[in-house]
């Protein structure tokens, strides 16, 4: 950059700094003004701190981490992330990640939703060129539970603090903090502080992502009001093919650690920037860092007044699958509900033909699960929706809804099917108690039950689940691991099993996922509701459990995740559409499964590379190939630790399963 | 907080004003713009669309194995300005493409630098302004 350019930039940034200070001093004011400024309208981008032109083509470069308070995991994740990921089928229509939305060209349109009686603003809706609707609720509604889905726009609430609108956003998908490398997890909170000064708004954005940052990251953008502007709109033009070339539709582009050689290319034209500063880190963003330039202080010895994250990330992750002894209900789509039963997800289909459950939770939760299902099934009749002889379905002189008002509800349809996605205790624990409350007619004629197996639901699973549950509980025992009443009544051995008829108006197909977590895993696809119950193959709270002793393998897990992706279709822009219920954790969509599949695939490639270099298991562990994902999916304690996962990956790859 | 803001402003003096690109991904981060790869092969797909068109080419890699190469080209507006339409390229056209390779090892994608069709002398990328933007 020449001197003139730097002078112009200095003026801009002094203005920016003033704007920032005004924003933040406004933020400190506690009172909500009687008439908050109106931020609705068409806005055009004015300026921000993005490295737009460095590296050419007006696009960010690899390795530009200036100003980012990365921790080691964040830096590793950025170094190994490939921009080419945009070309994969699941991400071609991905909108810009939330931290980048204010920075993309195309302008911003802010609409307001006004209460017709009070004229209070109930919500703002913000739209960018490459975005989905971003509603900001101003009506004081509570935040969704932790097991609710994460979206590209997240869940936002707004409040006026002085003349600044403070927007707090949670439930965001993982994406990028800055293009060309720096990533966010899906556990960050984003705070936008919007202040209007005449025809200008400043937007100060704080991204608090303790998975990848040592302190919150701060950036700012200014916009100018323009009555003649029209926010650009880019439709999704995804291809049916991967833009990455080749023939592997499950290709996951990434760099192995140390393989990304382009990280310092941009510094060749900016030699005055120390390479260490360009790598980011909390110390590099404070004035004290200047002392390291002349060598008077070593960076390692530097103390800076860093701020702390407000996100308790361990709790936030655990809350997605709460071990609270309770059953929480989340309506999903079509016939399907997700029950979060002491942290284990149970999928329930409810309709005119009865109830189908995928998994039954632990034995201890059976009573509460049954109570929750009964509450859903016995939903009271709706109040009368029409009056008189014009009601549809009228027979005779009165409205059929009269019957609703004067009679008790009709008996609920019974539990017909249970499908077990594996033999894990959290999937089959309630089979006996819950199954015997159901009834699948197997003969006897005229609705009567036959003597054996009696009045019970049909229990479906892969035959390896039946073999495991019917085998002796221990080498010295003659008793089966589970009583007959808990065992599958109908097993299958093929690659899939479909219910022979529609149930609750749709096809239900059970797919075997060979050698995944175990040798008996299934996923269940509800074809009209567009919901997949993924069982233990997919979790949003842990690395996948790979039980090598029971026939599991890393490759089987990856194949299972890819199969889920092959069956799933996003509704729009890599969001919604087919919903995927994980074995544990929050309700997810295609993009979430893709993110998880990418993570597992990347770890596979890293460990395989270390094996190819001749490393032993201990050396692989020491190399920490999962370091950038451990904060999100790892554990030091419990039944499935990071160490156990790495061992399973290593052994699985060594055995070439 | 003010100390931090002032330092951010100081560091940001060295950054340039934001001119974010319309393309959703960064070319410089996706492709190694210091290198060129030349492919000769058969066109098997042409997707004419925004923000970027794609040419799929069946051509050998550096080991001689046939691969499906995905070549990122300009969007419809830019190509239309040069008279290029959905009909310009035909399936099975023998074409030669020079492009920037992906930075990711093992990936068969290029950023178009130039395309020629020897059969009729059609070319793109050889005249001023014919770059993917």
């Amino acid at each position: 950059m020449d001197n003139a350019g730097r002078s112009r930039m200095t003026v801009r940034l002094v203005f920016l700094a003033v704007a920032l200070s005004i924003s933040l001093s406004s933020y400190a004011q506690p009172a909500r003004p009687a008439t908050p400024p109106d931020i609705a309208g068409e806005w055009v981008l004015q300026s921000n701190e993005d490295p737009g032109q460095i590296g050419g083509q007006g696009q960010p470069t690899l390795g530009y981490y200036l100003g980012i308070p990365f921790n080691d995991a964040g830096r590793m994740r950025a170094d190994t992330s490939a921009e080419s990921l945009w070309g994969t089928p699941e991400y071609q229509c991905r909108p810009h990640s939330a931290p980048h939305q204010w920075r993309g060209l195309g302008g911003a349109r802010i609409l307001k939703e006004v209460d017709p009686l009070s004229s209070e603003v109930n919500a703002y809706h913000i739209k960018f060129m490459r975005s989905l609707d971003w509603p900001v609720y101003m009506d004081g509604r509570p935040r969704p539970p932790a097991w609710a889905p994460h979206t590209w726009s997240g869940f936002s609430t707004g409040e006026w603090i002085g003349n600044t609108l403070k927007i707090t956003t949670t439930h965001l998908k993982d994406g990028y903090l800055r293009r060309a490398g720096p990533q966010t997890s899906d556990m960050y909170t984003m705070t936008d502080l919007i202040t209007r000064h005449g025809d200008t708004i400043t937007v100060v954005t704080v991204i608090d992502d303790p998975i990848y940052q040592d302190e919150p990251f701060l950036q700012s953008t200014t916009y100018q009001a323009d009555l003649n502007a029209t926010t650009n709109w880019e439709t999704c033009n995804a291809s049916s093919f991967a833009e990455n070339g080749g023939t592997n539709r499950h290709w996951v582009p990434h760099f192995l650690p140390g393989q990304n050689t382009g990280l310092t290319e941009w510094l060749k034209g900016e030699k005055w920037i120390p390479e260490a500063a360009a790598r980011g880190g909390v110390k590099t963003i404070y004035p004290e860092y200047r002392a390291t330039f002349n060598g008077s202080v070593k960076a390692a010895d530097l103390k800076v007044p860093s701020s702390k994250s407000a996100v308790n990330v361990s709790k936030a992750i655990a809350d997605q699958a709460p071990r609270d002894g309770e059953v929480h209900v989340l309506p999903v789509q079509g016939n399907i509900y997700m029950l979060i039963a002491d942290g284990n997800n149970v999928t329930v289909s409810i309709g005119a033909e009865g109830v189908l459950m995928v998994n039954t939770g632990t034995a201890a939760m059976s009573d509460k699960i049954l109570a929750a299902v009964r509450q859903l099934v016995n939903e009271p009749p709706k109040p009368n929706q029409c009056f008189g002889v014009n009601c549809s379905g009228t027979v005779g002189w009165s409205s059929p809804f009269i019957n609703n008002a004067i009679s008790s509800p009709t008996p609920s349809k019974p539990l017909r099917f249970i499908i077990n996605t594996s033999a894990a205790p959290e999937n089959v624990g309630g089979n006996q108690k819950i199954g015997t409350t159901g009834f699948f007619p197997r003969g006897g004629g005229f609705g009567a039950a036959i003597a054996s197996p009696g009045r019970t639901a049909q229990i479906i699973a892969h035959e390896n689940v039946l073999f495991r549950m019917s085998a002796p509980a221990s080498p010295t025992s003659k008793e089966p691991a589970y009583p007959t009443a808990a065992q599958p009544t109908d097993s299958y051995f093929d690659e899939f099993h479909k219910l022979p008829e529609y149930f609750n108006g749709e096809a239900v197909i059970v797919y075997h996922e060979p050698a995944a977590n175990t040798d008996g895993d299934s996923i269940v696809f509800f074809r009209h509701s567009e919901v997949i119950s993924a069982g233990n193959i997919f979790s949003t709270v842990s690395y996948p459990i790979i039980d090598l002793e029971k026939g599991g393998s890393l490759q089987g897990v990856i194949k299972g995740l890819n199969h889920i992706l092959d069956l799933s279709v996003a509704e729009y822009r890599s969001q919604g559409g087919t919903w995927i219920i994980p074995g544990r954790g929050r309700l997810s969509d295609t993009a979430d499964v893709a993110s998880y599949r990418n993570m597992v695939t990347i770890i596979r490639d890293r460990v395989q590379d270390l094996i190819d270099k001749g490393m032993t298991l201990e050396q692989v562990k020491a190399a920490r190939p999962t370091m950038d994902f451990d904060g999100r999916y790892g554990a030091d304690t419990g039944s499935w630790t990071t160490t156990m996962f790495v061992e399973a990956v290593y052994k699985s790859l060594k055995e070439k399963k | 907080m003010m100390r931090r803001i002032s330092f951010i402003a100081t560091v940001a003096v060295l950054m340039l004003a934001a001119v974010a690109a319309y393309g959703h991904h960064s070319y410089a981060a996706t492709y190694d713009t210091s290198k060129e790869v030349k492919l000769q092969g058969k066109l098997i797909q042409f997707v004419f669309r925004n923000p970027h068109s794609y040419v799929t080419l069946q051509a050998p890699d550096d080991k001689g194995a046939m691969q499906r190469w995905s070549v990122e080209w300009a969007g419809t507006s830019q190509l239309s300005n040069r008279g290029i339409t959905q009909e310009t390229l035909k399936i099975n056209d023998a074409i030669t493409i020079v492009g920037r390779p992906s930075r990711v090892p093992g990936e068969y994608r290029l950023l178009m630098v130039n395309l020629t069709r020897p059969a009729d002398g059609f070319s793109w990328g050889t005249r001023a302004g014919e770059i993917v933007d």
Side-chain angles (χ1 to χ4, degrees):
Chain A
M1 193 189 313
D2 59 21
N3 287 336
R6 290 190 185 190
S7 297
R8 284 195 302 276
M9 198 58 208
T10 303
V11 171
R12 284 181 191 163
L13 287 158
V14 167
F15 170 76
L16 183 62
V18 171
L20 274 168
S21 62
I22 291 170
S23 297
L24 291 166
S25 57
S26 298
Y27 170 55
Q29 296 174 15
R32 176 188 184 280
T35 54
D38 190 0
I39 60 167
E42 298 282 348
W43 300 89
V44 292
L45 182 65
Q46 205 172 40
S47 65
N48 59 42
E49 312 95 344
D50 253 9
Q53 293 167 357
I54 291 176
Q57 299 191 28
Q59 293 179 331
T61 62
L62 286 171
Y64 186 95
Y65 307 157
L66 275 178
I68 300 177
F70 268 149
N71 58 22
D72 289 343
R75 194 175 295 104
M76 178 178 179
R77 185 91 173 89
D79 286 353
T80 56
S81 291
E83 189 79 346
S84 213
L85 194 68
W86 276 103
T88 58
E90 293 82 16
Y91 282 176
Q92 286 180 27
C93 279
R94 179 172 63 158
H96 281 309
S97 293
H100 185 74
Q101 284 292 11
W102 286 112
R103 327 208 113 200
L105 280 183
R109 174 177 294 159
I110 304 178
L111 306 173
K112 57 186 173 185
E113 194 180 306
V114 177
D115 184 285
L117 283 180
S118 68
S119 291
E120 290 273 310
V121 175
N122 285 339
Y124 284 107
H125 292 264
I126 307 175
K127 175 184 168 185
F128 304 95
M129 183 177 77
R130 178 180 282 272
S131 74
L132 290 149
D133 176 39
W134 176 15
V136 179
Y137 298 109
M138 305 292 293
D139 54 7
R141 68 183 63 188
R143 308 201 82 77
W147 49 85
H150 287 208
T151 65
W152 295 113
S153 301
F155 180 86
S156 298
T157 54
E159 58 176 325
W160 285 101
I161 300 175
N163 285 321
T164 296
L165 175 63
K166 179 185 178 187
I167 302 174
T168 304
T169 306
T170 58
H171 293 74
L172 287 154
K173 289 187 184 297
D174 62 319
Y176 43 94
L177 183 67
R178 181 184 286 165
R179 296 193 301 169
Q183 304 290 299
T184 67
S185 74
D186 62 342
M187 300 309 298
Y188 69 102
T189 293
M190 188 170 79
T191 306
D192 289 291
L193 303 166
I194 303 178
T195 308
R196 181 165 187 163
H197 316 278
D199 286 343
T200 300
I201 56 171
T202 61
V203 184
V204 178
T205 303
V206 182
I207 293 104
D208 189 353
D209 184 6
I211 299 286
Y212 289 140
Q213 298 165 13
D214 275 334
E215 73 166 25
F217 172 65
L218 187 148
Q219 62 184 12
S220 67
T221 309
T222 58
Y223 274 78
Q224 181 78 36
D226 187 343
L227 290 172
N228 298 314
T230 298
T231 302
N232 290 326
W233 178 237
E234 185 181 271
T235 55
C236 169
N237 285 294
S239 309
S240 57
F241 60 98
E243 295 172 349
N244 309 78
T247 54
N248 178 7
R249 69 179 181 275
H250 301 134
W251 168 256
V252 179
H254 66 98
F255 296 101
L256 295 170
Q259 193 181 43
N260 191 349
T261 57
L263 294 171
T264 56
E265 283 176 4
W266 69 280
L267 289 172
K268 291 174 185 170
E270 310 286 345
K271 292 186 183 299
W272 50 275
I273 300 178
E275 187 176 329
R279 302 283 290 153
V282 67
K283 291 178 180 176
T284 68
I285 66 174
Y286 280 88
E288 287 85 345
Y289 190 71
R290 293 193 191 102
T292 66
F293 294 171
N294 60 16
S296 60
V297 178
K298 290 182 179 175
D301 299 330
L302 196 62
K303 303 289 184 197
V304 293
S306 58
S307 53
K308 301 293 182 189
S309 170
V311 179
N312 181 344
V313 74
S314 299
K315 180 178 185 306
I317 295 169
D319 283 350
Q320 294 185 8
R323 298 291 196 196
D324 57 1
E326 298 297 331
V327 176
H328 308 275
V329 177
L330 184 69
V332 179
Q333 187 162 264
N335 301 318
I336 308 301
Y337 295 80
M338 174 172 134
L339 272 51
I340 304 93
D342 195 34
N344 300 308
N345 291 334
V346 173
T347 303
V348 183
S349 166
I350 294 176
E353 292 172 277
V355 178
L356 180 154
M357 296 175 66
V358 180
N359 297 326
T360 53
T362 60
M365 292 300 296
S366 295
D367 288 337
K368 288 186 175 178
I369 290 172
L370 278 171
V373 172
R374 283 187 186 123
Q375 195 165 13
L376 292 170
V377 171
N378 295 332
E379 188 183 356
K382 293 187 171 75
N384 199 356
Q385 300 296 308
C386 64
F387 305 92
V389 294
N390 292 326
C391 289
S392 142
T394 294
V395 179
W397 60 271
S398 69
S399 157
F401 286 95
I402 290 291
N403 295 333
N404 284 351
I406 64 171
S407 68
S408 59
T410 54
S412 56
K413 298 287 184 183
L415 171 67
R416 299 294 192 193
F417 297 97
I418 292 170
I419 301 171
N420 290 141
T421 60
S422 82
E426 68 270 23
N427 292 340
V428 303
N431 276 13
Q432 183 175 8
K433 190 160 197 175
I434 294 173
T436 51
T437 68
F439 171 47
F440 184 82
R442 290 179 176 273
F446 307 105
I450 57 174
S452 177
R455 293 182 70 93
T456 178
Q458 187 179 137
I459 304 177
I460 300 167
H462 188 268
E463 67 179 7
N464 287 339
V465 173
L466 174 60
F467 295 159
R468 191 150 287 123
M469 293 178 72
S470 58
S474 68
T476 57
S477 171
K478 292 183 179 177
E479 294 299 315
Y482 288 86
T484 305
Q487 295 173 16
T489 60
D490 297 74
S491 63
Y492 74 99
F493 65 93
D494 217 339
E495 65 259 36
F496 68 88
H497 168 81
K498 55 187 178 183
L499 299 195
E501 300 168 336
Y502 273 20
F503 185 73
N504 289 338
E506 67 178 320
V508 181
I509 307 172
V510 187
Y511 292 99
H512 179 45
E513 304 298 344
N517 304 100
T518 66
D519 58 7
D521 293 284
S522 298
I523 64 172
V524 184
F525 184 26
F526 296 88
R527 206 162 71 178
H528 186 72
S529 294
E530 274 293 322
V531 175
I532 295 173
S533 185
N536 291 352
I537 287 175
F538 176 47
S539 161
T540 70
V541 296
S542 73
Y543 287 121
I545 296 168
I546 302 167
D547 192 336
L548 299 175
E549 297 293 317
K550 292 179 179 170
S553 74
L554 175 70
Q555 289 292 38
V557 169
I558 293 174
K559 282 182 182 174
L561 293 167
N562 282 327
H563 188 204
I564 291 171
L565 291 174
D566 288 344
L567 293 171
S568 307
V569 180
E571 180 188 29
Y572 187 59
R573 280 206 178 281
S574 300
Q575 182 171 290
T578 309
W579 290 105
I580 296 100
I581 298 177
R584 295 188 62 220
R586 65 176 165 83
L587 182 63
S588 299
D589 62 13
T590 307
D592 299 313
V593 176
S595 175
Y596 194 77
R597 181 277 311 266
N598 294 348
M599 175 271 293
V600 182
T601 304
I602 289 168
I603 291 172
R604 177 200 65 187
D605 292 350
R606 290 176 183 173
V607 174
Q608 185 64 61
D609 178 60
L610 298 175
I611 290 171
D612 292 345
K613 289 174 178 168
M615 287 194 182
T616 63
L617 174 58
E618 291 309 312
Q619 289 171 320
V620 169
K621 286 182 192 172
R624 300 194 64 193
T626 61
M627 191 256 278
D628 49 344
F629 297 109
D630 287 346
R632 178 63 184 85
Y633 297 106
D636 296 327
T637 58
S639 59
W640 188 242
T641 64
T642 302
T643 300
M644 294 163 73
F645 172 64
V646 173
E647 286 178 3
V649 171
Y650 180 89
K651 290 176 182 173
S652 189
L653 291 173
K654 285 288 276 188
E655 293 167 11
K656 299 293 181 192
K657 278 189 175 178
Chain B
M1 182 63 90
M2 285 307 299
R3 275 152 51 92
R4 191 175 151 199
I5 290 168
S6 67
F7 185 64
I8 288 171
T10 305
V11 171
V13 166
L14 307 165
M15 309 173 186
L16 292 163
V19 185
Y22 273 69
H24 51 282
H25 61 264
S26 162
Y27 295 137
T30 308
Y31 302 100
D32 187 341
T33 53
S34 69
K35 294 178 182 169
E36 285 188 354
V37 170
K38 184 176 183 179
L39 300 175
Q40 288 181 302
K42 186 176 68 174
L43 185 139
I44 53 177
Q45 189 178 48
F46 175 39
V47 179
F48 186 64
R49 65 158 163 85
N50 284 329
H52 302 120
S53 301
Y54 276 84
V55 171
T56 308
L57 185 71
Q58 193 90 41
D61 60 19
D62 56 358
K63 296 181 180 64
M66 291 302 284
Q67 304 291 352
R68 287 179 73 98
W69 293 86
S70 187
V71 186
E72 185 166 3
W73 204 4
T76 55
S77 303
Q78 194 189 351
L79 293 178
S80 297
N81 289 339
R82 297 287 172 173
I84 294 170
T85 71
Q86 178 79 61
E87 309 297 319
T88 301
L89 298 179
K90 307 288 188 191
I91 301 305
N92 290 325
D93 278 357
I95 55 175
T96 300
I97 284 177
V98 174
R100 313 285 189 193
S102 170
R103 287 182 180 273
V104 179
E107 198 160 69
Y108 303 103
R109 72 182 295 176
L110 298 177
L111 177 66
M112 182 83 79
V113 174
N114 62 63
L115 179 152
T116 56
R117 181 169 55 193
D120 62 355
F122 169 81
S123 70
W124 184 93
T126 54
R127 290 167 288 273
E130 291 183 340
I131 58 170
V132 179
D133 62 14

